[in-house]
Amino acid sequence: GTNGAFESMTGYVQDEIRGKTLQGMPRIDEIAKPGNSSGVYTAESVFPTRYGSQQCISWSNSFIEDENGNPKFAVSIGIDLT
C-alpha cells in the first residue's frame, strides 16, 4: 500500500497503483542483490508523477520473503532528491 506522503509527493492514490509496477519504482528482481547480508537494499530512480513532472528518489528497501526465501514484497522508504 501507499501512505499520505507518497500520495502527496506523486499524486497517485493507493487504489490507482495497487498491483501495478510503476515506471521508476524499484522492482524486487532489479534491486534484490544476493549476498547482501544487511537485508537493506538501496536504489535511485527517476519517478514520474501523475502531474507530468519527474522526481529523483533515493529508495531504501527491505523485503518480505516467501516460504522459499525469495523476495515477495518490498517495504520501501523513498527520499525525494529533486
Side-chain angles (χ1 to χ4, degrees), residues 2-3 6-8 10-18 50:
T2 64
N3 62 32
F6 176 87
E7 293 176 3
S8 294
T10 65
Y12 295 107
V13 295
Q14 183 171 340
D15 289 341
E16 292 177 288
I17 63 169
R18 181 177 292 143
R50 179 181 196 158

Side-chain angles (χ1 to χ4, degrees), residues 13-72:
V13 295
Q14 183 171 340
D15 289 341
E16 292 177 288
I17 63 169
R18 181 177 292 143
K20 298 178 183 176
T21 299
L22 298 175
Q23 179 183 4
M25 253 327 241
R27 291 175 23 150
I28 290 175
D29 60 345
E30 293 173 344
I31 56 177
K33 299 176 182 89
N36 182 343
S37 61
S38 74
V40 177
Y41 307 90
T42 59
E44 287 186 11
S45 65
V46 176
F47 191 87
T49 70
R50 179 181 196 158
Y51 312 112
S53 62
Q54 295 187 337
Q55 293 175 303
C56 183
I57 307 294
S58 175
W59 299 99
S60 240
N61 310 279
S62 294
F63 298 100
I64 299 169
E65 298 176 343
D66 65 14
E67 61 278 354
N68 298 315
N70 299 312
K72 185 174 181 180

